[in-house]
Amino acid sequence: MDVLIGLIVGVPAAIAAAGFLLHERKDALQRLNQGGSLILLLLIAIVARAVAQHGVIQGGLFYVDSLSALLLIVVGILQTTACWVSAPYLAEEGVSKEELAKYYALLQLFICTMLLVLMVENLGIMWVAVEATTLASALLVAFYVSRSALEAAWKYVMVCTVGICLALLGLMILYYAQTAAGGNGSDALSWLVLRREIGTLNPLLVKLSLIFIVIGYGTKIGLAPMHTWLPDAHSQAPSPVSGLLSGALLSCAMYVLLRHLALFQDAVPHAFLQWLLLGFGLFSIVVALPFILVQHDVKRLLAYSSVENMGIILVGVGIWTPLAMYGALLHLINHALIKSALFYLSGVIAQRYHTKDILRIRGLVRLMPLTGSLFLLLLLTITGVPPMGIFISKLTIIWAAFQSGDRLLGVSLLLLLAGVCAGLLYYCWQICFSVQPRQAVPSEAERVVLAAAGISFSVVLFLGLVMPVWLGEMLHQAVLMVMGG
């Protein structure tokens, strides 16, 4: 099994290297990345199945439990769809052979770093992997080398670097607390060792470390007020990359925060932990709401929706009951699948209409029936309409809020989500059904793009109707891992 885990990291790195040998042959390069993505998905499925059947896999630097496996499945699916939809998207963009080789190399390195984040055991190495995701993805954000793309990439690097430095400061404080309590230097920042010893560390230092880590990794998650990089980066990146940024990278960052919270829960006052998480979660939803209501850029609309959904997930985590944590993890999966599909289709729509301006995208369902209908269903899904999986996960979090006895939190969450839903439904109507002044008939999205978006939609619909036994068990195991069961 250790070999398989090594291959999960090695395959994308090998594809990135091999891509340079095929940079003169576009078709071969695309087939290499598409085929490699399927092999990688298969490897991830084997490892996830082993975790589901036998529990934790541990060896050397790597540690894979149910929480890791859940996120590995998400990244595995999204890297596959991103690789397959990239080919028609980049062909429509008319990129050169050199640009294509650069794109796929960076994409594979980005995937490699995210997978590393999910599988390393040591918190210090995890921090390095998180920083590596920023470096790899920033170059993808700047892929078009336009003024707006370069500004977005610069802001992304600067804001996230400040955030990640704060997380590093939190880790340094944690390291100091560990060594001051007599910890062995060779086990420094080992998650497993810290989990055993966290109760013996200086509580004041642990509390201070928690604050820096939540703010630092919260920046990477896109929590307000550290979210300012997110709308620019997601709107300027090529759409397959936007799908990965929103669906996979934000999920990986949330995973890192959960991995740390699993440590801190026994060492800091419960009320303080809840106050911190609920505060950032609710504030993120509040900040995203007005930007969703007055938005004119379809990709920025989706980006602010991601800020809102990360806030919802953090609220679920902050309630800190098994039911709320289950809802938060389920929402993490649902959001990743649907948001990536929305970004794939929004990229095609922007190409066909030659604009991302919502005011100029009209009559989508009439002009592009298949693409428009699927985009409509995905938008309705992200608002949380029944019986989709997102409806179930949002309902679970709200129900958990009321069940915990905090009615004010439950009512506040309901009102905020109603406002976001109204804004998204308004734009949904404008894009899909309003009258198109011009009679130009754009072509439908390519079949592979429709298939990728359709699969994500089908999975989320299925999760709203039936929860597979194996997935439900993995979710429960992940909840126990985070909450210390």
Side-chain angles (χ1 to χ4, degrees), residues 271-285 311-312 314-320 401 404 406 409 413:
F272 175 76
L273 186 65
Q274 278 193 304
W275 174 83
L276 194 63
L277 300 178
L278 291 176
F280 275 117
L282 280 176
F283 188 59
S284 298
I285 304 172
I312 293 171
L314 200 65
V315 168
V317 174
I319 295 170
W320 207 262
S404 69
D406 195 339
L409 174 63
L413 199 53

Side-chain angles (χ1 to χ4, degrees), residues 94-314:
V95 300
S96 65
K97 294 176 183 176
E98 293 74 18
E99 290 172 329
L100 195 68
K102 183 179 76 172
Y103 172 87
Y104 278 120
L106 291 171
L107 184 68
Q108 293 298 338
L109 289 177
F110 181 33
I111 293 166
C112 177
T113 53
M114 286 191 291
L115 294 171
L116 193 61
V117 167
L118 298 176
M119 296 194 297
V120 292
E121 186 267 345
N122 186 281
L123 299 182
I125 299 175
M126 190 179 289
W127 181 90
V128 173
V130 171
E131 178 64 1
T133 63
T134 305
L135 299 177
S137 54
L139 294 172
L140 286 166
V141 172
F143 179 73
Y144 291 121
V145 203
S146 62
R147 180 186 175 89
S148 52
L150 291 174
E151 285 181 357
W154 176 251
K155 182 188 283 189
Y156 175 38
V157 171
M158 292 303 293
V159 175
C160 283
T161 299
V162 170
I164 210 73
C165 285
L166 291 176
L168 178 61
L169 182 57
L171 286 177
M172 291 169 67
I173 294 170
L174 187 62
Y175 171 76
Y176 175 76
Q178 185 183 15
T179 53
N184 188 339
S186 61
D187 294 328
L189 296 180
S190 163
W191 184 81
L192 291 170
V193 173
L194 276 169
R195 190 160 194 181
R196 288 197 306 269
E197 299 177 351
I198 193 77
T200 65
L201 308 190
N202 184 318
L204 185 61
L205 290 177
V206 172
K207 195 173 181 180
L208 189 61
S209 171
L210 170 67
I211 295 171
F212 281 114
I213 284 173
V214 169
I215 296 174
Y217 287 128
T219 305
K220 192 76 176 177
I221 295 170
L223 298 176
M226 301 85 73
H227 69 289
T228 51
W229 64 271
L230 193 151
D232 291 335
H234 288 206
S235 63
Q236 293 301 322
S239 286
V241 176
S242 302
L244 275 183
L245 285 171
S246 187
L249 181 60
L250 299 187
S251 301
C252 286
M254 185 64 79
Y255 161 85
V256 173
L257 182 59
L258 290 173
R259 185 64 72 182
H260 285 77
L261 292 178
L263 285 179
F264 288 109
Q265 57 168 317
D266 294 329
V268 295
H270 189 65
F272 175 76
L273 186 65
Q274 278 193 304
W275 174 83
L276 194 63
L277 300 178
L278 291 176
F280 275 117
L282 280 176
F283 188 59
S284 298
I285 304 172
V286 170
V287 168
L289 176 58
F291 288 98
I292 289 175
L293 294 177
V294 298
Q295 193 53 246
H296 296 295
D297 184 307
V298 64
K299 290 184 73 175
R300 291 180 73 87
L301 176 71
L302 300 177
Y304 277 108
S305 169
S306 294
V307 175
E308 174 236 346
N309 279 283
M310 290 299 112
I312 293 171
I313 293 166
L314 200 65

Side-chain angles (χ1 to χ4, degrees), residues 21 27 61 89 91 99-100 106 118 263 317 364 379 414 472:
L21 301 176
D27 291 343
L61 296 175
Y89 179 84
E99 290 172 329
L100 195 68
L106 291 171
L118 298 176
L263 285 179
V317 174
L364 183 63
L379 268 180
L414 271 175

